[in-house]
Every structure is written in structure tokens, then in C-alpha cells.
Amino acid sequence: MNRFTTIAAVATLAASVAAPALAQQNRLPTEAPAGAQRIVMMCTNDAATRSAFRREHGAPPTFVTADQVLQARATGETWSAPRCMNAREHGRLTQTLNTYAAVR
């Protein structure tokens, strides 16, 4: 299994962990319409990952922080290509979403 496939598998697993928190939120008027996306993948910042990401999505990876993802979620911002985040920021995002889900 190559590195990009491993990263994609980890991102899918991470998304399944965050899915219950996202499913519990109420639909707000500022949310994007169906079909719009806000996909975040856990990526490393090495040459192989950047090359694979560019080949897969047609653009170089754009790294975001947990705070930027939460801000995009709150404002309904979407993007055409997935965004990347490192493992530390992903942990922060998952922890925040799980805390948010527990409070609701």
C-alpha cells in the first residue's frame, strides 16, 4: 500500500469518527447547499504526498488548522478541492468536535 493510500485510509477512518458529531448538528441557514464540500484529509508535507495530491486533485495541497476548519464550518465556506491538515491539527479538530457533540 503506498503512502497516499494509507493517508487516505486514515482520513476516511478519521472522518467516520467525526461523522456522529457532524450528523447531530442542526442545519443552519448559513450552511452550504447539498453537493458543496468541505473535505479535510490528514496529510504529511513531503514531496511524495504533495505529488500524489496534485495528481489526484489537480492542485497542490492547502494545509489548514483546526480553527480554520471550524471557522469554515461556522460560516458555511466550501472549497472545490480537499484541504489537508497534519496529525496534530486533526487531533485538535476531532477533540473539539467530540466535545461539541457531547455538549449537545
Side-chain angles (χ1 to χ4, degrees):
M1 194 176 330
N2 68 25
R3 184 179 289 185
F4 188 75
T5 304
T6 302
I7 292 169
V10 170
T12 302
L13 180 62
S16 69
V17 170
L22 296 174
Q24 292 178 8
Q25 78 179 20
N26 293 327
R27 191 156 172 82
L28 301 173
T30 60
E31 286 186 16
Q37 62 181 356
R38 192 176 321 121
I39 298 173
V40 180
M41 299 170 53
M42 193 165 39
C43 308
T44 58
N45 195 8
D46 62 0
T49 302
R50 288 190 306 272
S51 176
F53 191 93
R54 187 176 289 116
R55 183 175 51 253
E56 183 75 23
H57 301 289
T62 302
F63 282 81
V64 293
T65 65
D67 293 335
Q68 290 170 323
V69 172
L70 294 171
Q71 181 65 29
R73 180 180 179 217
T75 62
E77 177 185 356
T78 60
W79 39 73
S80 58
R83 299 292 195 249
C84 287
M85 70 174 30
N86 63 31
R88 181 174 182 225
E89 288 297 319
H90 176 264
R92 288 183 60 220
L93 178 63
T94 303
Q95 181 180 12
T96 302
L97 290 175
N98 287 338
T99 301
Y100 178 74
V103 171
R104 295 192 99 204

